[in-house]
Amino acid sequence: MTKKLMKGSEAIGEAAVQAGCHLFFGYPITPQNEIPEYMSMRLPQVGGTFVQAESEVAASNMLYGAAGSGERVMTSSSSPGVSLMAEAISYLAGAELPVVIVNIMRAGPGLGGILPSQNDYLQSTKGMAHGDFRLLVLAPWSVQEAADLVQDAFDLADYYRNPVLILGDGLIGQMMEPVEFAEGREPIKELPPKDWAATGNDGSKPRSVINSLFLDPEELERHNYHLKEKYDRMERDEVRFETSGLDADYDLLVVAYGTVARVCSTAIEELADRGVKVGMVRPVSLFPYPYRAVREAARKAKAVLVVELSMGQMIEDVRLAIEGSKPLHFLNRTGGMLVSPDEVVDKIQAISEGSSQEVVHA
Amino acid sequence: MPETVFSKPQALRDVTTHYCPGCTHGTIHRLIAEVLDELGVRERTVGVAPVGCSVLAYNYFETDFHEASHGRAPAVATGIKRARPDLVVFAYQGDGDLASIGTAEIVHCANRGEKVTVVFVNNAIYGMTGGQMAPTTMPGQVATTCPLGRDVDLSGHPIRVSEMLSTLRTPAFVARTSVHTPLLSVNTKEMLRQAFTYQVEGRCFSLVEILSTCPTNWGIPPAEATEWLEKNMLPYYPLGVFKTPESGSRESMPLER
Amino acid sequence: MQNDVIMAGFGGQGILLIGKILAYAGMHEGKEVSWLPSYGPEMRGGTANCTVVISDRPVGSPVIRSPRAVVAMNLPSLDKFEPDVRPGGLLLINSSLINRKAARDDLTVIEFPANQIANELGNRRGANMVALGVYLGATEAVSLEEVVEVVRETFAAKPGVIEINITALHRGHEIGAACAVGV
Ligand SMILES: Cc1ncc(C[n+]2csc(CCOP(=O)(O)OP(=O)(O)O)c2C)c(N)n1
Ligand code: SF4
Ligand SMILES: [Mg+2]
């Protein structure tokens, strides 16, 4: 198929349609309005349904109903809207419903601003809502990767019967890049039939009840162990990351995800021209996190630099990965400000000259 | 000495607003400010700004303010009024804010009979986010999330908030007005005066729905926007007073034994 | 080899559109491209800008803090972006709407009355196309032929405006080529 120049938001919508998602429930919020707008135009063309819900609370519960009926379904929002969906996401995880949720992050807290941010990392990977549950979280760094990950997300959601979150930032949503959709794409997993869906019962199979309520504590404990077993399998089988420059020698390791990693890669190229050698690990799955890849890559480096558009969220996972074995440095912008390649270059130079302050924890 | 016959109300700050040319949010701000001045309550007024184009209303009024999350202004207003009944509290909300995401809050605020005033600006569109369908968007009206026009089979009919709230039994003042002609602006000011007066007298909840233009997202110049409102919105959203406290009751219905 | 440019002006001047046309043409030539619009509060103020990157290799940062070129279609845009241009870079100034000279002396500066030229060509809304032409002439970022192709596709639904826009492009290209810098 030929390449098309598409906005990230539109590519995300189209990828969902290509993955067989014919139901979309959403509510407008900047900077991802182009996703529901695209779906409102596109879904009727394929016999699908778009509903503008009255709120994100409603949209996320429409998701629950549609997913529980065995259909592929997606919603998208941006930070404040995702917070409103958090309750339903806990129920979706508890009831083991496969859905795809897109968060095009904007700067917070509160109403914050509408410009790009990565300040929902901890919410997405660790603390979305009440209860012991995890989302599979994937973070694209380009429009093409956003499209690819959305398609994979539907397969992963169905395979694990778990919500999958696509975590992008305002840049991913707004920028246009060439995208290609592979024809005749095969699912990346062998997918069992959705015989658990509640679609009416003629007595030929057990009744389906879509539910997250377990009043018997023993039963709920068993359920939580069952969920944990899924998360363990994800940690074993679904870790995704990319590396650059790790084969050669390098003095410094950069860890960054999403569009920030692209800014870092530009900086790293510039430094290479000046003979400064830097390696990079870019986590693509944020849960499960590529702890081992970061740990091993850090071994060869003299120091590790984390670059984020937040006050310091993913850096906690990098700390867990390297366990104090190397000096850790941090470069960040927040509030919708972006890190520029020059800032990354300057920071790396400061680290090599010894003028950058290490991140120290009491 | 020359006599001043026209000046900026004290309750309005001397700043330039961010509203688009031809947008009537600004007119409505001014009318509220005049009423606050004339009732002499500016110093003890606290406003609640919504999420919508008027999110920055706190920059435009010379009163204290809260900025609420999307749709929750009536709950925030309730909190303020319950904490400090002596304050004059008003929420300023758009149609997406009040009639979509915030329907629960407005219904229950009105039903509890909170003695606050809600100014409800109905422009039949989501202005702030770039022209998506609102619960008040007219049938057939094109918006970015209904590119072929609002289809009532899929999205229902536009919600008439004033009519809906006036079905509640709790006493309230509910009126709908418009500001697209000078005469109606005068009427709007009178409605706002009554609404705030009911609150100041401690009598009831009050809501004034004001039809408003959004030339930017309707995609038509300001003058045509006024005509569009008159032709399309007025017939569906009739102006008038829908409820006065006299027509409601705080008496409980007797229980059947 | 990478070309990157920030194009900036009033909303409604067709800035985002010429950025898209440029990116499309780059893509058709087999290059890696990205197009990033400004979004956010400044849109209400009526200004618009976009960043286009055209490269032989996968595009790194789509955000360019020090661009190789800036196309300023109005004064606020010149004031905002002139300081950011890379030393030795290219600065295009629409002198129809900007009544000052460039403040920096380390850049290649091309002044051209885009609106006047467009008006003379009987294409009052074509100032953006003139500017795109100047940029192409000065940089050869992508070939004029490819851009003409994309213009034909872009305006396929309005055949009446295709030729006048191509003329505007050509007119701009001549001006740019006369000062070609190859940045
Ligand atoms: C939880 C949440 N969801 C969505 C948004 C995005 N949002 C901001 S304003 C708005 C709609 C505003 O429309 P309306 O209330 O009609 O006000 P108008 O701009 O038309 O005056 C939306 C959906 C948000 N800020 N928070
Ligand atoms: S977008 Fe519409 S409602 Fe918002 S300021 Fe502009 S005209 Fe007014
Ligand atoms: Mg509105």
Side-chain angles (χ1 to χ4, degrees):
Chain A
M1 209 178 144
T2 49
K3 280 192 180 177
K4 265 182 85 174
L5 199 60
M6 282 182 110
K7 256 196 175 188
S9 288
E10 294 170 356
I12 285 170
E14 182 58 29
V17 172
Q18 305 255 343
C21 165
H22 286 183
L23 290 155
F24 184 95
F25 306 101
Y27 187 76
I29 185 166
T30 312
Q32 62 79 57
N33 288 314
E34 293 83 352
I35 301 178
E37 287 169 2
Y38 185 83
M39 292 311 239
S40 74
M41 178 277 294
R42 185 76 172 95
L43 281 174
Q45 296 174 353
V46 294
T49 296
F50 164 85
V51 178
Q52 181 178 317
E54 66 272 31
S55 67
E56 293 86 352
V57 175
S60 50
N61 286 287
M62 292 174 186
L63 219 63
Y64 186 98
S69 310
E71 297 297 323
R72 285 198 157 179
V73 55
M74 180 165 96
T75 189
S76 66
S77 189
S78 177
S79 310
V82 174
S83 292
L84 275 182
M85 294 182 178
E87 181 199 41
I89 294 174
S90 174
Y91 281 63
L92 286 161
E96 296 190 80
L97 291 177
V99 298
V100 176
I101 300 156
V102 179
N103 180 3
I104 301 294
M105 289 179 281
R106 60 187 240 184
L111 197 49
I114 59 176
L115 293 173
S117 168
Q118 295 182 318
N119 57 194
D120 303 345
Y121 178 92
L122 290 174
Q123 179 195 45
S124 311
T125 59
K126 305 184 197 283
M128 175 61 74
H130 66 283
D132 263 328
F133 74 92
R134 296 292 180 141
L135 307 174
L136 215 156
V137 185
L138 303 172
W141 78 336
S142 68
V143 173
Q144 179 69 58
E145 192 177 38
D148 294 343
L149 291 180
V150 165
Q151 301 201 45
D152 291 355
F154 280 99
D155 295 340
L156 292 167
D158 282 348
Y159 182 76
Y160 288 102
R161 285 187 59 187
N162 204 67
V164 178
L165 182 74
I166 301 288
L167 193 63
D169 57 51
L171 291 182
I172 282 285
Q174 294 295 319
M175 104 186 144
M176 276 182 121
E177 288 187 322
V179 208
E180 230 173 333
F181 291 98
E183 253 168 282
R185 178 184 171 281
E186 292 290 323
I188 57 168
K189 295 275 181 190
E190 199 150 324
L191 300 177
K194 295 183 173 179
D195 52 9
W196 45 263
T199 55
N201 197 297
D202 59 4
S204 64
K205 61 174 180 102
R207 223 159 47 84
S208 296
V209 179
I210 306 297
N211 175 35
S212 65
L213 173 72
F214 298 89
L215 286 174
D216 174 356
E218 282 182 30
E219 206 189 336
L220 180 51
E221 187 179 53
R222 265 200 306 281
H223 180 60
N224 280 330
Y225 271 100
H226 159 68
L227 295 180
K228 174 74 165 79
E229 184 270 330
K230 287 201 307 193
Y231 307 144
D232 288 347
R233 275 195 289 137
M234 291 178 197
E235 295 211 63
R236 194 188 64 206
D237 298 336
E238 306 303 341
V239 173
R240 296 185 184 204
F241 58 92
E242 267 188 11
T243 63
S244 67
L246 297 191
D247 296 335
D249 284 337
Y250 50 92
D251 294 326
L252 183 90
L253 177 71
V254 170
V255 187
Y257 71 97
T259 54
V260 176
R262 286 174 65 160
V263 174
C264 292
S265 70
T266 298
I268 291 171
E269 273 181 31
E270 256 172 59
L271 285 163
D273 293 343
R274 300 188 214 164
V276 183
K277 283 169 286 182
V278 180
M280 179 161 83
V281 175
R282 171 174 76 93
V284 175
S285 60
L286 303 181
F287 180 86
Y289 191 79
Y291 290 108
R292 189 182 314 140
V294 172
R295 184 181 317 123
E296 284 171 6
R299 265 190 208 126
K300 265 167 71 180
K302 296 201 186 87
V304 177
L305 169 65
V306 174
V307 188
E308 274 186 86
L309 300 181
S310 80
M311 290 311 293
Q313 302 202 8
M314 185 188 68
I315 193 171
E316 296 194 2
D317 278 327
V318 176
R319 270 177 68 212
L320 281 177
I322 66 173
E323 291 177 319
S325 61
K326 292 290 151 90
L328 187 57
H329 296 262
F330 186 52
L331 172 65
N332 71 315
R333 298 298 300 262
T334 77
M337 299 301 293
L338 299 170
V339 177
S340 71
D342 292 348
E343 282 169 310
V344 179
V345 167
D346 290 349
K347 181 72 178 181
I348 291 174
Q349 250 155 9
I351 295 170
S352 58
E353 288 159 11
S355 61
S356 161
Q357 275 230 313
E358 254 181 72
V359 180
V360 199
H361 292 272
Chain B
M1 273 284 282
E3 189 196 356
T4 305
V5 291
F6 188 80
S7 67
K8 189 184 63 61
Q10 263 197 309
L12 216 51
R13 299 183 66 205
D14 194 6
V15 293
T16 312
T17 72
H18 70 290
Y19 298 117
C20 307
C23 175
T24 37
H25 268 303
T27 316
I28 297 166
H29 283 20
R30 181 179 173 102
L31 297 174
I32 295 171
E34 287 180 3
V35 168
L36 294 178
D37 279 3
E38 288 165 24
L39 294 178
V41 295
R42 182 182 64 83
E43 291 89 341
R44 60 183 176 103
T45 295
V46 174
V48 185
V51 178
C53 276
S54 46
V55 66
L56 296 178
Y58 54 76
N59 284 335
Y60 306 145
F61 288 95
E62 195 63 83
T63 67
D64 280 358
F65 247 84
H66 288 238
E67 210 296 306
S69 62
H70 193 25
R72 319 301 175 205
V76 174
T78 299
I80 301 168
K81 193 71 181 188
R82 295 287 177 125
R84 286 288 305 271
D86 55 316
L87 296 177
V88 174
V89 182
F90 77 99
Y92 187 107
Q93 296 186 265
D95 44 351
D97 195 76
L98 181 142
S100 189
I101 196 167
T103 8
E105 280 75 8
I106 190 62
V107 168
H108 291 280
C109 182
N111 193 50
R112 287 189 303 267
E114 298 295 343
K115 290 171 191 69
V116 300
T117 301
V118 176
V119 181
F120 169 41
V121 180
N122 177 358
N123 58 10
I125 199 92
Y126 283 27
M128 179 73 161
T129 39
Q132 294 81 11
M133 183 183 70
T136 44
T137 293
M138 300 306 296
Q141 184 186 338
V142 170
T144 58
T145 48
C146 51
L148 303 177
R150 181 187 185 128
D151 179 345
V152 295
D153 280 342
L154 299 174
S155 309
H157 287 271
I159 297 182
R160 289 192 267 229
V161 169
S162 292
E163 286 84 337
M164 189 173 80
L165 290 181
S166 53
T167 64
L168 297 171
R169 190 152 179 264
T170 308
F173 174 77
V174 179
R176 183 185 292 118
T177 169
S178 182
V179 287
H180 70 282
T181 69
L183 204 58
L184 283 169
S185 294
V186 172
N187 179 62
T188 299
K189 183 171 170 185
E190 183 49 33
M191 293 296 107
L192 287 167
R193 186 198 314 281
Q194 288 188 26
F196 276 100
T197 303
Y198 279 121
Q199 177 182 177
V200 170
E201 291 173 354
R203 292 189 60 191
C204 65
F205 169 86
S206 52
L207 177 137
V208 182
E209 173 174 347
I210 305 172
L211 303 183
S212 189
T213 55
C214 177
T216 301
N217 287 300
W218 292 357
I220 45 180
E224 283 171 42
T226 302
E227 273 171 44
W228 192 90
L229 184 152
E230 179 134 355
K231 268 202 290 239
N232 296 292
M233 291 176 72
L234 271 191
Y236 187 81
Y237 295 117
L239 309 186
V241 174
F242 290 85
K243 188 178 169 96
T244 56
E246 294 73 31
S247 66
S249 171
R250 282 236 173 229
E251 300 273 301
S252 49
M253 302 266 226
L255 288 175
E256 295 288 333
R257 285 189 193 267
Chain C
M1 218 345 233
Q2 173 164 315
N3 279 289
D4 47 59
V5 54
I6 293 181
M7 303 176 147
F10 293 123
Q13 273 182 315
I15 302 297
L16 301 186
L17 178 68
I18 55 169
K20 274 187 208 176
I21 291 175
L22 180 63
Y24 256 108
M27 183 180 80
H28 286 181
E29 281 191 352
K31 300 207 168 101
E32 303 285 348
V33 299
S34 73
W35 171 91
L36 181 71
S38 58
Y39 75 97
E42 76 263 32
M43 280 165 64
R44 280 283 147 78
T47 64
N49 74 70
C50 62
T51 305
V52 179
V53 182
I54 301 168
S55 178
D56 298 334
R57 294 194 292 150
V59 176
S61 174
V63 182
I64 306 287
R65 201 67 67 75
S66 356
R68 288 171 167 85
V70 161
V71 178
M73 292 298 281
N74 65 2
L75 184 60
S77 302
L78 181 64
D79 291 344
K80 182 165 178 199
F81 292 110
E82 178 179 4
D84 297 342
V85 186
R86 226 180 240 228
L90 176 68
L91 178 60
L92 305 193
I93 297 179
N94 174 14
S95 57
S96 294
L97 299 183
I98 300 175
N99 58 5
R100 76 162 171 88
K101 302 268 172 207
R104 285 173 60 178
D105 57 9
D106 60 337
L107 307 174
T108 302
V109 179
I110 307 178
E111 292 181 9
F112 57 99
N115 296 70
Q116 196 187 317
I117 295 170
N119 286 345
E120 284 165 14
L121 296 173
N123 180 8
R124 291 196 43 212
R125 300 179 51 82
N128 59 341
M129 288 293 159
V130 175
L132 176 59
V134 177
Y135 174 73
L136 292 171
T139 61
E140 299 294 341
V142 293
S143 74
L144 183 61
E145 293 70 40
E146 199 64 67
V147 173
V148 166
E149 263 322 293
V150 176
V151 168
R152 286 190 200 284
E153 284 168 29
T154 307
F155 294 106
K158 293 186 237 163
V161 306
I162 293 180
E163 288 311 321
I164 55 170
N165 277 315
I166 292 176
T167 311
L169 258 180
H170 278 286
R171 187 68 196 91
H173 194 268
E174 286 161 21
I175 298 172
C179 327
V181 285
V183 283

